[in-house]
């Protein structure tokens, strides 16, 4: 006996709506009142309905594709130079292998971000992974296309991968404190970046817990930002003995700035980064960092899109763990 496979007509009958209305909900089209949409979504869940994505793509004349969206400053070469984005793609590609699906990458500038979000959402087929999109624009995308997953902290309604950025930053400060550092500074990321915001929160919680001074600067997520920010911190606070840096690429610049000042890492200043990207093993000395499982997060996000429409507000949680290398060491004694 063949297994029952519900159709759009079945969904419409179960929800008490027309086939056209059921189809609009299934295809994430606007113009359906919230109560009707809720009834159709309940019928979809009850019947276990799964749309035939290949048939949908053929009918619409559109290619089956998963979009990857990142919003920042394209003229700075950020997309090609930052290891985070390569790790996102590395996690997605194996999941898409053999499923007749393209991967489309969109590098969007701030000046036209809203219009670009609308266009990408309108042309989406299997949905989008938001690699680096702020909460307001992520919510905008979700209103236009519900097949979307965010890789960074996002709006409450948008499905997302939830890494413990707050706890990771707290753990980094806790580790520096455990090693004997008492003048611990932080080089944070961009103010509008949601990951940077959470790491800033974790740092603030830790310094309040341990009674430390707030010695901080905000910079861009790149090597120059880490160099420039650390240089300023050392000029203002020459007695710094530990630095938390909000990403590994920035931490590489921080180590260079410390060395250029005549200090040694970790003898004079211990450094902890965030991400555990390839950069962490290439610095001199190799970087102690907070490991962020970017590839696993990207793979999970891609599988969610291939499975259908992710539930609104879904959170798939990932831990962040300390990876000890040679850029940290216990201090000789209390400072």
């Amino acid at each position: 006996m063949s297994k029952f496979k519900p159709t759009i007509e079945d969904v419409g009958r179960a929800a008490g709506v027309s086939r056209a209305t059921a189809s609009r909900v299934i295809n994430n089209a606007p113009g359906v009142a919230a109560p009707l949409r809720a009834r159709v979504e309940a019928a979809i869940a009850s019947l276990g309905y799964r749309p035939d994505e290949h048939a949908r793509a053929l009918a619409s004349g559109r290619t089956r594709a998963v979009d990857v969206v990142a919003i920042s400053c394209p003229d700075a070469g950020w997309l090609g130079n930052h290891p985070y984005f390569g790790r996102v793609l590395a996690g997605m590609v194996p999941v898409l292998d053999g499923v007749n699906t393209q991967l489309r990458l969109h590098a969007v500038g701030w000046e036209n971000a809203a219009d670009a979000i609308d266009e990408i959402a309108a042309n989406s087929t299997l949905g989008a992974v938001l690699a680096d999109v702020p909460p307001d624009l992520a919510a905008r995308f979700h209103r236009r296309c519900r097949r979307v997953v965010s890789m960074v902290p996002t709006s409450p309604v948008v499905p997302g991968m939830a890494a413990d950025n707050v706890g990771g930053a707290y753990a980094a400060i806790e580790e520096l404190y455990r090693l004997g550092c008492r003048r611990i500074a932080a080089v944070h990321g961009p103010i509008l970046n949601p990951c940077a915001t959470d790491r800033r929160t974790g740092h603030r919680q830790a310094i309040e817990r341990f009674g430390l001074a707030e010695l901080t600067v905000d910079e861009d997520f790149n090597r120059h930002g880490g160099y420039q920010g650390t240089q300023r911190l050392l000029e203002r606070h020459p007695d710094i003995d530990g630095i938390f840096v909000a990403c590994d690429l920035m931490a590489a610049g921080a180590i260079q700035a410390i060395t250029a000042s005549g200090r040694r890492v970790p003898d004079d200043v211990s450094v902890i980064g965030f991400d555990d990207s390839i950069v962490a093993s290439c610095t001199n000395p190799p970087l102690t960092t907070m490991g962020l499982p970017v590839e696993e997060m990207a793979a999970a996000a891609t599988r969610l899109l291939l499975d259908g429409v992710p539930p609104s507000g879904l959170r798939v949680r990932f831990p962040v763990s300390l990876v000890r290398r040679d850029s940290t060491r216990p201090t000789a004694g209390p400072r």
Side-chain angles (χ1 to χ4, degrees):
M1 177 181 284
S2 61
K3 184 178 179 181
F4 169 69
K5 184 177 181 180
T7 64
I8 294 178
E9 288 81 2
D10 294 323
V11 172
R13 280 193 292 271
V17 301
S18 67
R19 183 190 189 282
T21 298
S23 179
R24 290 181 71 83
V25 174
I26 289 168
N27 289 288
N28 305 307
V32 179
L36 290 182
R37 184 177 292 275
R39 279 162 48 190
V40 174
E41 290 175 343
I44 291 170
S46 174
L47 295 173
Y49 174 79
R50 292 276 184 94
D52 184 334
E53 297 297 344
H54 186 60
R56 289 172 67 185
L58 288 174
S60 67
R62 295 188 293 174
T63 303
R64 280 167 51 92
V66 173
D67 298 290
V68 183
V69 186
I71 298 179
S72 192
C73 189
D75 59 354
W78 55 275
L79 188 61
N81 295 336
H82 202 294
Y84 166 76
F85 299 102
R87 295 181 68 191
V88 171
L89 299 181
M92 296 180 67
V93 168
V95 179
L96 296 176
D97 186 34
V99 296
N100 189 33
T101 299
Q102 293 184 1
L103 189 155
R104 299 186 299 211
L105 181 60
H106 304 268
V108 177
W110 281 105
E111 68 283 353
N112 64 340
D115 290 341
I117 283 290
D118 292 347
E119 182 177 355
I120 296 166
N123 292 306
S124 178
T125 55
L126 295 183
V129 172
L130 306 183
D132 186 15
V133 175
D136 58 332
L137 290 173
R140 184 185 183 102
F141 193 107
H142 187 259
R143 287 194 295 271
R144 289 156 178 78
C145 175
R146 297 199 175 191
R147 297 183 70 117
V148 60
V149 182
S150 178
M151 288 282 293
V152 298
T154 191
S155 164
V157 300
V158 179
M161 303 293 103
D164 188 10
N165 287 290
V166 174
Y170 185 101
I173 304 304
E174 184 177 45
E175 173 71 359
L176 290 169
Y177 189 86
R178 185 190 68 81
L179 292 171
C181 300
R182 295 297 182 267
R183 293 288 287 171
I184 301 172
V187 183
H188 292 303
I191 292 175
L192 296 179
N193 183 281
C195 289
T197 298
D198 278 2
R199 293 169 196 176
R200 190 178 289 106
T201 297
H203 165 260
R204 186 172 296 114
Q205 290 176 355
I207 62 173
E208 289 176 358
R209 165 68 177 81
F210 298 116
L212 303 173
E214 185 167 0
L215 316 175
T216 65
V217 292
D218 298 321
E219 289 290 346
D220 290 330
F221 272 150
N222 55 42
R223 186 207 61 82
H224 177 70
Y227 186 99
Q228 180 174 268
T230 302
Q231 192 176 52
R232 293 210 315 271
L233 283 170
L234 291 172
E235 288 172 353
R236 297 172 187 170
H237 313 285
D239 58 344
I240 285 171
D241 54 9
I243 299 182
F244 165 62
V245 192
C247 83
D248 292 346
L249 196 57
M250 297 174 79
I255 289 174
Q256 292 173 340
I258 293 166
T259 302
S261 75
R263 297 169 175 85
R264 296 166 299 170
V265 176
D267 300 63
D268 300 312
V269 184
S270 284
V271 179
I272 297 183
F274 207 111
D275 288 336
D276 196 25
S277 66
I278 186 64
V279 173
S281 59
C282 295
T283 58
N284 184 22
L287 181 66
T288 295
T289 186
M290 303 308 302
L292 183 67
V294 176
E295 292 86 352
E296 291 86 345
M297 294 166 63
T302 307
R303 284 192 289 268
L304 276 175
L305 294 178
L306 294 181
D307 285 344
V309 180
S312 294
L314 173 71
R315 292 293 179 269
V316 182
R317 304 194 178 278
F318 293 84
V320 172
S321 56
L322 178 66
V323 181
R324 292 185 177 93
R325 296 193 180 93
D326 296 338
S327 67
T328 54
R329 61 174 295 183
T331 63
R335 302 294 179 101

